[in-house]
Amino acid sequence: MSPADPVFRVLLVCTGNTCRSPMAAGALHRALGTDVDRIRVESAGTAAWEGQPATEPSLGVAAQAGVDLGGHRSRRVTPAMVRAADIVLVMERGHLAAVRALGADPDHTHVLSEWPAPGEPGLEISDPFGASNEAYEECWRRIQHHLERVLPVIRDASRARSA
């Protein structure tokens, strides 16, 4: 998180790093367009088993939107990851406490549905793991909805970093 580093880092965190955070990272990466060289998007999980692929329904829902998660492999969030991130976006409040316990800067760590304030805390991003395809589709819609709101803030922060 050094101002001398021109790359702005976004870390998306969920539980197992096989559904929500990979979908969010893939969607954000695609949405960045020409800013993709200036912003690094990563994902991790608070209880992830290392090296697991994205779930089949996550792969399918993302693919329908033109996002390829085929190369994704899960990883557990670490203190180094949260310290290196300029912003950490988590999927639910329990993740917020977990990443802050690892040393994430409280001023730069937020629940995706609640940031930027006032956000939409009533539109949570529920874990679709083991649920129906419809649950994955709804998860994807909510992720997309929240990313539309946060993308301009992330772009502005990354541009300010490289100015």
Side-chain angles (χ1 to χ4, degrees), residues 82-147:
V82 298
R83 283 193 307 268
D86 293 290
I87 188 156
V88 179
L89 297 173
V90 301
M91 300 299 132
E92 56 191 64
R93 290 208 138 267
H95 302 138
L96 194 63
V99 297
R100 286 182 178 169
L102 292 173
D105 181 343
D107 293 332
H108 300 278
T109 306
H110 311 280
V111 178
L112 179 59
S113 63
E114 299 176 5
W115 184 78
E120 295 179 78
L123 197 59
E124 298 172 342
I125 303 171
S126 300
D127 192 352
F129 186 78
S132 67
N133 277 339
E134 291 79 16
Y136 278 86
E137 290 166 358
E138 179 61 19
C139 181
W140 179 262
R141 280 190 294 273
R142 289 184 182 205
I143 287 169
Q144 292 285 102
H145 176 78
H146 293 305
L147 288 178

Side-chain angles (χ1 to χ4, degrees), residues 35-86:
D35 291 322
V36 75
D37 293 335
R38 226 178 24 247
I39 302 171
R40 178 171 298 144
V41 180
E42 298 180 323
S43 70
T46 59
W49 289 14
E50 297 285 333
Q52 299 300 305
T55 62
E56 286 297 322
S58 295
L59 291 166
V61 168
Q64 288 176 1
V67 175
D68 181 7
L69 299 180
H72 173 77
R73 293 298 175 263
S74 63
R75 59 197 189 138
R76 185 178 295 256
V77 66
T78 66
M81 284 180 203
V82 298
R83 283 193 307 268
D86 293 290

